Amino acid sequence: MPHFELELEHPGPVCGVDEAGRGPWAGPVSAAAVILDPARIPVGLNDSKKLSAKARDALEIEIKEVAIAWGVAFGSVEEIAELNILRATGLAMRRAVEALAIPAALALVDGNYRFDLPCPIRTVVKGDAISASIAAASILAKTARDRLMVEADSLYPGYGFAGHKGYHAPIHVEALRTLGPCPIHRQGWAPIRAALEGGAAQIDLLNQD
């Protein structure tokens, strides 16, 4: 389970930073930054992918209530297309850190890539399973993005965005075959290019995850 030991190794405010949505075929990438209060760490923090939607929603409310500061931001579909997914993820992370009400002295970032953030960085592989702050950030990033994809389901019906949140799923593949891509699809992704180009050989790419 995540702990708070890495945060205590630095004297200044330490934020955890994580993203959600680097892999989907549609929708933005999201990122969050969280500075936790060591005296009020929510019980049950964990990698957002290991939690139920109900648990994530409850923890999101608690994190926002008890954290010293938090920020959530996005890299848009257009920015993903223009910059590539890695740079758009870094942009979302930078925006999330900049949105903190209190400047962070250090960012604990999930993974091993050193993004360009407005404070010093310490990367933590599998950080959402190690650091409570990163776990909290993973929850805020995930819940914020999920809400956007539920809203997208109303704007672009037929794709099943409320269920799969833009990831590979049979209903998503079938919708791309019958409806074609919509404005929030990442047109640089191979399956989306295949749907745009058409043809049996290209459509086979839709089965790639």
Side-chain angles (χ1 to χ4, degrees), residues 8 31 60 85 117 121 133 136 160 191 195-196:
L8 295 176
E60 177 194 25
I85 185 60
L117 301 184
I121 297 168
S133 299
L196 287 166

Side-chain angles (χ1 to χ4, degrees), residues 60-144:
E60 177 194 25
I61 294 170
E62 186 176 1
I63 291 164
K64 290 181 176 180
E65 286 178 348
V66 304
I68 292 172
W70 59 271
V72 174
F74 299 89
S76 69
V77 172
E78 293 78 15
E79 287 168 334
I80 293 170
E82 178 183 354
L83 301 174
N84 73 41
I85 185 60
L86 186 64
R87 292 175 64 192
T89 299
L91 181 61
M93 287 185 172
R94 169 174 278 276
R95 288 168 173 164
V97 174
E98 290 175 342
L100 292 169
I102 297 173
L106 177 73
L108 298 175
V109 181
D110 185 46
N112 60 7
Y113 191 87
R114 300 186 64 82
F115 293 97
D116 180 19
L117 301 184
C119 64
I121 297 168
R122 178 176 176 180
T123 58
V124 186
V125 176
K126 299 186 183 299
D128 44 14
I130 296 171
S131 160
S133 299
I134 295 177
S138 78
I139 292 167
L140 295 196
K142 171 70 173 166
T143 53

Side-chain angles (χ1 to χ4, degrees), residues 178-195:
T178 57
L179 303 175
C182 76
I184 66 165
H185 277 104
R186 300 176 182 179
Q187 297 193 13
W189 262 230
I192 309 308
R193 290 200 309 271

